[in-house]
Amino acid sequence: MSNMIRIIGIDPGLRRTGWGVIESLGNSLRFVASGTVTSDGEMDLASRLCQLHDGLADVIHAHQPHEAAVEQTFVNKDAVATLKLGQARGIAMLVPARAGLLVAEYAPNAVKKAVIGVGHGDKTQIHMMLKVLMPKATFKGNDAADALAIAICHAHNRQGLAGRLAKLAG
């Protein structure tokens, strides 16, 4: 039987970055914790990025995950907003990487497919399936729920990822 793996899912955002920690043992998933790291919208961009960095570093230190998963950014019509989201996403990838964690990336549709079975769905469906998959899960807001969904997506996909990485290394 495989060992328990603790996974942090991260839903990057400049205002609110959601995080969710689960444990995966074989096909079994267990909720550990979830929350949101926020930045002060009145501060300059660099200070806000520092707030996200420090908040995520505290979460990783507190929960000691083994692996991380981050949602990929979609491009929207507002180039400035997309660029800022990309910078927040950079922080979401940097913090776990600096902690020595494998960081996987998943498209939003892949996350939805892993959790609700189809690549398109709304937040209500994600929340409902999170409660089915992990009845003890608690989350405040969409950002924390999305982060848990990202962690679940990684738990479902990590075996194939580990095999592909082993082939590349060997």
Side-chain angles (χ1 to χ4, degrees):
M1 182 138 209
S2 62
N3 292 333
M4 182 278 301
I5 299 295
R6 187 170 278 201
I7 301 166
I8 184 169
I10 303 171
D11 181 32
L14 185 58
R15 288 186 189 135
R16 291 175 308 277
T17 291
W19 59 271
V21 179
I22 65 170
E23 291 178 343
S24 174
L25 180 61
N27 292 329
S28 173
L29 300 175
R30 186 178 78 81
F31 171 77
V32 175
S34 69
T36 306
V37 175
T38 60
S39 72
D40 182 348
E42 300 296 315
M43 297 180 80
D44 62 281
L45 179 60
S47 297
R48 293 177 74 186
L49 292 172
C50 283
Q51 289 177 320
L52 295 177
H53 175 279
D54 294 347
L56 277 177
D58 289 346
V59 169
I60 287 176
H61 179 74
H63 294 287
Q64 298 293 305
H66 302 112
E67 298 176 4
V70 178
E71 189 170 60
Q72 291 175 339
T73 304
F74 63 91
V75 177
N76 59 38
K77 295 177 184 175
D78 183 351
V80 173
T82 300
L83 181 60
K84 287 180 180 178
L85 177 58
Q87 291 169 324
R89 189 169 173 277
I91 297 297
M93 295 180 69
L94 171 72
V95 172
R98 292 286 306 210
L101 306 181
L102 167 79
V103 181
E105 301 174 66
Y106 296 97
N109 286 348
V111 173
K112 289 176 183 174
K113 187 169 185 174
V115 176
I116 61 176
V118 294
H120 301 282
D122 61 23
K123 301 290 184 186
T124 305
Q125 289 174 301
I126 292 171
H127 289 205
M128 182 184 72
M129 283 307 297
L130 287 173
K131 285 299 197 178
V132 169
L133 294 169
M134 294 182 299
K136 295 182 180 180
T138 58
F139 45 87
K140 291 183 181 177
N142 291 334
D143 302 300
D146 288 350
L148 285 169
I150 294 161
I152 290 169
C153 179
H154 182 64
H156 292 317
N157 288 288
R158 67 177 298 279
Q159 296 298 348
L161 178 64
R164 289 190 303 273
L165 289 174
K167 284 181 184 177
L168 289 173

